[in-house]
Amino acid sequence: MAGTWVYAETVEGTPKPIALELLTKARSLGEPTAIALGPGALKAAEALGRYGAKKVYVHEDPAFVEVLASPAVDLLARLIEQEHPDLVLFGMTYEGRDVAARLSARLGTALIANATDITRKDGGLAVVTPVFGGSMLVTTAPRAKAPTLVLLRPKAVTAEPAGSSGAPSLETLSDPVDTGKPGARVLRREKEKASGPRLEDAAVIVSGGRGLGAPENFKMLDELAAELGAAVGASRAVVDAGWKPYAFQIGQTGKTVKPTVYIALGISGAMQHTVGMKGAKTIIAINKDPEAPIFKMADLGVVGDVHKIVPQLIQEVRARKGK
Amino acid sequence: MNVLVCVKQIPDPNTPGKLDPRTKRLVREGDLVLDPGDEHAVEAGLQLVEKDAGEVTLVSMGPPRALEAIRRGLAMGAHRGILVTDPELENSDALSTARAIAGAIKGQQFDLIICGTESTDGSSGAVPAQLAELLGWPLLSFAKKLEVANGKATIDRQTDEGYDVVEAPLPAVVTVTGGINEARYPALRGIMQAKNKEVKQLALAEIKLDGQVGKAALTQEVVEVAPAEARKAGEVIEDKGDGAKRVADFLKDLKVI
Ligand SMILES: Cc1cc2nc3c(=O)[nH]c(=O)nc-3n(C[C@H](O)[C@H](O)[C@H](O)COP(=O)(O)OP(=O)(O)OC[C@H]3O[C@@H](n4cnc5c(N)ncnc54)[C@H](O)[C@@H]3O)c2cc1C
Ligand SMILES: Nc1ncnc2c1ncn2[C@@H]1O[C@H](COP(=O)(O)O)[C@@H](O)[C@H]1O
């Protein structure tokens, strides 16, 4: 039986944005079934239904959040053997990657990572992944037995609720989770404090690159971001230099963002960076080098010095807000 | 403590390879290097055995010239290497790679296997988790800090909000992020010593495999390669003192202000 499954990550009863993105994509490929694991999974089922899940498997055992990957792999392997889906979608996230990769080894099936699109074509699957910093797109077809496991990049798809759909049919599982075998156990979770919107959710992003010259110059970005209700992002050059933590990094090996407005300050616009932000509706770039590649994709580019322009911009914004 | 570090040879990321649109294969021009991500894995292994006792073994699956990547790791201080190389393994996918590595170390005792979180060229991040699954070991992924004591490995695992402290009994597989350490640069003495260190070359016939590898086990095939759609440039102006004003006006038009 063909079927499209979604490994739906949830936090405390709410689906993560990636789960809704996956369901939106899954709807175009078949009638999605979602698998939600861990405490709160049941509560999340309704929202999963709104985004198109026809059926939701839930299992609320805390082991699914306390032990990395293995309990989820055990359960998925068992369900897959029973139901034979031909496609299982995961988010290219910390959790999705570990679960999907282990599962592919368990089942001996195809794992296609980093996908940005999936279609059914001539009875088979076609999975698109960007390579070389997103400058080329490769289409891959699975050649192994079902199911094909695909890791979809966050923000590759815009989550949209399904038009009309009743509540999903629920299957609540309660079979014991094997926690006897050696596993990776989470002892505690540390949240690093952040102010303002999250990068992934922000409508406006103010992002800084090596052109800022020094870590302390990010202060003016914080100020500008505060005025605009924006989140602050960074290039990898800045993260590698230790000016900003990894959580700020946008690009191939960092986050993918799709804000309404992306303001790139002192960022050259290397492919590996732009692959993470070229989905922005509008791009504004300030760079002192008129040849900087970022200008090839900016809706408004200003050739100039960030140290001069950014402080002025903060004043201009304040003036327009009537401050 | 015996540590195995998985190292991959990749085209120099500063002069990246190209995909041949006809054969749909990676064209490897220019230099090949030890994946910079794996240098952090080697460094992490060296720090562990320097603190306690033990040795670091490197394993790589690749063409014969991948020996150079192993030599680089040996020059950093690793003790010996294993190169799994066989024409049948050409163009292997991640699962074949994991199976070949698992086969190559069968019968040897390792307390810990350290990998990069993802290779710089392939960036699927699949091999370490697959290896862990094949061995039946726990996987501690995305480590930005690693400590080993009392038969356990503990990591700070990077998350979207910060990090999780995660612990697993040995033996375990760990993947390390670039932030975990500053990889050492091989000293001249290390480079000289590396030449005399043992690197065992293994062909498929010499490995006991669970499952198929190589061409026979390909799980996927590239069917098309096309350039991505590029964004179009808009207006580029030079700042003559009014740059900030223009940006602010634009933001106002966009209703951001
Ligand atoms: C496998 C791989 C993965 C990668 N992943 C990522 C990723 O996820 N994210 C990422 O960002 N990068 C990534 N990179 C790195 C990427 O290739 C670039 O090196 C990086 O994006 C450059 O950062 P930058 O633009 O801040 O620095 P630079 O390229 O050094 O650019 C600095 C820019 O600032 C400008 N400038 C300097 N001074 C001023 C001034 N006073 N006023 C205005 N402008 C000024 C300069 O003209 C220049 O254009 C990756 C690379 C590889 C090989
Ligand atoms: N051919 C290989 N030989 C040895 N180790 C590898 C190989 N491919 C991947 N690895 C290891 O697995 C990690 C993740 O690679 P990947 O799964 O290709 O993204 C790398 O950082 C290496 O530590």
Side-chain angles (χ1 to χ4, degrees):
Chain A
M1 197 196 88
T4 303
W5 284 17
V6 165
Y7 181 74
E9 294 177 44
T10 65
V11 219
E12 290 155 13
T14 309
K16 289 194 185 168
I18 182 70
L20 307 180
E21 292 163 24
L22 292 173
L23 280 168
T24 304
K25 175 65 10 193
R27 264 160 32 211
S28 70
L29 301 167
E31 295 214 327
T33 294
I35 293 94
L37 306 176
L42 187 60
K43 193 169 157 236
E46 191 210 337
L48 297 173
R50 257 185 281 125
Y51 281 78
K54 295 286 180 208
K55 178 172 183 174
V56 184
Y57 285 100
V58 296
H59 197 318
E60 293 235 334
D61 199 300
F64 291 110
V65 292
E66 287 164 4
V67 180
L68 300 186
S70 303
V73 172
D74 290 346
L75 181 68
L76 283 168
R78 190 171 69 68
L79 291 176
I80 286 167
E81 201 180 314
Q82 274 171 24
E83 304 293 333
H84 305 291
D86 73 336
L87 175 64
V88 188
L89 302 182
F90 298 82
M92 188 80 183
T93 59
Y94 297 107
E95 182 180 340
R97 272 167 59 158
D98 282 5
V99 174
R102 282 200 92 116
L103 188 61
S104 72
R106 176 87 57 97
L107 303 174
T109 53
L111 171 71
I112 304 174
N114 260 317
T116 52
D117 197 14
I118 310 156
T119 48
R120 291 196 189 270
K121 224 185 195 162
D122 315 324
L125 287 163
V127 183
V128 177
T129 52
V131 294
F132 302 129
S135 59
M136 305 280 279
L137 297 177
V138 167
T139 306
T140 302
R143 292 287 179 254
K145 63 175 186 195
T148 300
L149 312 182
V150 176
L151 286 156
L152 193 72
R153 282 190 72 103
K155 297 274 166 147
V157 174
T158 307
E160 278 161 20
S164 64
S165 69
S169 76
L170 274 182
E171 184 151 343
T172 309
L173 306 166
S174 55
D175 44 332
V177 177
D178 175 10
T179 51
K181 54 185 174 190
R185 191 168 284 277
V186 179
L187 301 182
R188 60 189 153 85
R189 302 183 190 277
E190 298 286 344
K191 293 203 167 140
E192 279 158 1
K193 60 172 189 295
S195 57
R198 281 158 35 98
L199 261 182
E200 294 90 329
D201 308 330
V204 182
I205 292 174
V206 175
S207 195
R210 185 147 47 196
L212 285 175
E216 55 271 21
N217 293 329
F218 263 87
K219 275 206 204 87
M220 63 184 181
L221 265 64
D222 293 338
E223 237 178 286
L224 178 60
E227 290 299 334
L228 298 173
V232 174
S235 73
R236 172 156 153 185
V238 157
V239 172
D240 283 351
W243 299 359
K244 282 278 162 194
Y246 172 74
F248 284 73
Q249 185 176 315
I250 291 166
Q252 183 182 326
T253 41
K255 290 186 171 134
T256 303
V257 294
K258 275 193 178 172
T260 318
V261 181
Y262 188 89
I263 308 177
L265 303 168
I267 292 179
S268 61
M271 283 188 301
Q272 295 91 350
H273 182 78
T274 59
V275 70
M277 47 62 86
K278 68 182 178 189
K281 196 137 181 258
T282 305
I283 296 172
I284 300 173
I286 303 176
N287 193 305
K288 69 174 184 190
D289 174 9
E291 302 298 324
I294 192 78
F295 288 134
K296 295 208 169 65
M297 60 181 340
D299 299 278
L300 175 64
V302 180
V303 181
D305 185 348
V306 285
H307 305 295
K308 232 178 76 196
I309 300 176
V310 177
Q312 290 171 355
L313 181 57
I314 294 166
Q315 296 312 320
E316 293 282 346
V317 171
R318 282 189 183 138
R320 278 166 183 69
K321 284 166 73 178
K323 280 196 196 170
Chain B
M1 187 159 75
N2 278 322
V3 181
L4 179 77
V5 180
C6 299
V7 295
K8 185 180 181 187
Q9 186 181 50
I10 62 157
D12 188 339
N14 299 316
T15 52
K18 286 193 182 70
L19 215 52
D20 184 324
R22 202 177 50 80
T23 62
K24 298 181 177 111
R25 282 192 181 186
L26 194 63
V27 188
R28 301 192 144 190
E29 284 163 355
D31 291 345
L32 296 173
V33 298
L34 168 59
D35 192 321
D38 294 345
E39 287 186 14
H40 296 287
V42 176
E43 177 67 38
L46 291 173
Q47 287 185 12
L48 287 177
V49 302
E50 281 162 4
K51 197 164 142 266
D52 298 326
E55 293 193 325
V56 173
T57 302
L58 307 177
V59 64
S60 188
M61 191 220 76
R65 57 192 293 199
L67 184 61
E68 293 159 31
I70 293 179
R71 289 269 179 241
R72 166 92 188 186
L74 294 175
M76 287 172 70
H79 299 80
R80 71 178 62 77
I82 304 169
L83 173 61
V84 187
T85 186
D86 195 300
E88 270 301 304
L89 287 167
E90 212 180 299
N91 267 4
S92 280
D93 58 23
L95 190 50
S96 278
T97 306
R99 281 181 179 150
I101 293 173
I105 60 167
K106 200 162 273 180
Q108 299 180 52
Q109 296 290 321
F110 292 106
D111 303 290
L112 203 64
I113 298 180
I114 309 180
C115 301
T117 44
E118 58 189 18
S119 56
T120 301
D121 62 339
S123 67
S124 65
V127 171
Q130 290 172 331
L131 190 56
E133 180 64 28
L134 294 172
L135 298 169
W137 293 8
L139 170 70
L140 294 164
S141 53
F142 304 98
K144 54 177 200 166
K145 191 174 150 204
L146 165 66
E147 270 165 17
V148 177
N150 308 321
K152 284 183 196 152
T154 310
I155 64 161
D156 286 357
R157 181 179 193 251
Q158 199 166 280
T159 63
D160 283 332
E161 286 88 26
Y163 63 92
D164 292 347
V165 180
V166 189
E167 170 193 277
L170 301 181
V173 179
V174 177
T175 71
V176 299
T177 64
I180 194 166
N181 55 38
E182 196 75 57
R184 70 192 67 182
Y185 203 79
L188 187 60
R189 211 167 87 94
I191 295 170
M192 297 312 289
Q193 286 172 342
K195 293 192 175 125
N196 299 319
K197 288 180 178 167
E198 180 206 344
V199 179
K200 195 178 345 169
Q201 300 215 10
L202 293 174
L204 276 180
E206 298 159 272
I207 292 177
K208 237 179 102 33
L209 286 169
D210 295 327
Q212 287 189 304
V213 296
K215 292 185 196 91
L218 269 193
T219 59
Q220 52 201 276
E221 191 184 354
V222 171
V223 290
E224 197 186 319
V225 182
E229 204 181 309
R231 264 185 94 107
K232 289 200 178 55
E235 189 186 5
V236 180
I237 59 168
E238 201 181 321
D239 177 36
K240 296 204 176 86
D242 63 342
K245 197 175 154 306
R246 292 288 300 272
V247 174
D249 287 342
F250 192 56
L251 288 172
K252 181 118 195 170
D253 290 345
L254 294 169
K255 300 197 164 53
V256 171
I257 313 178

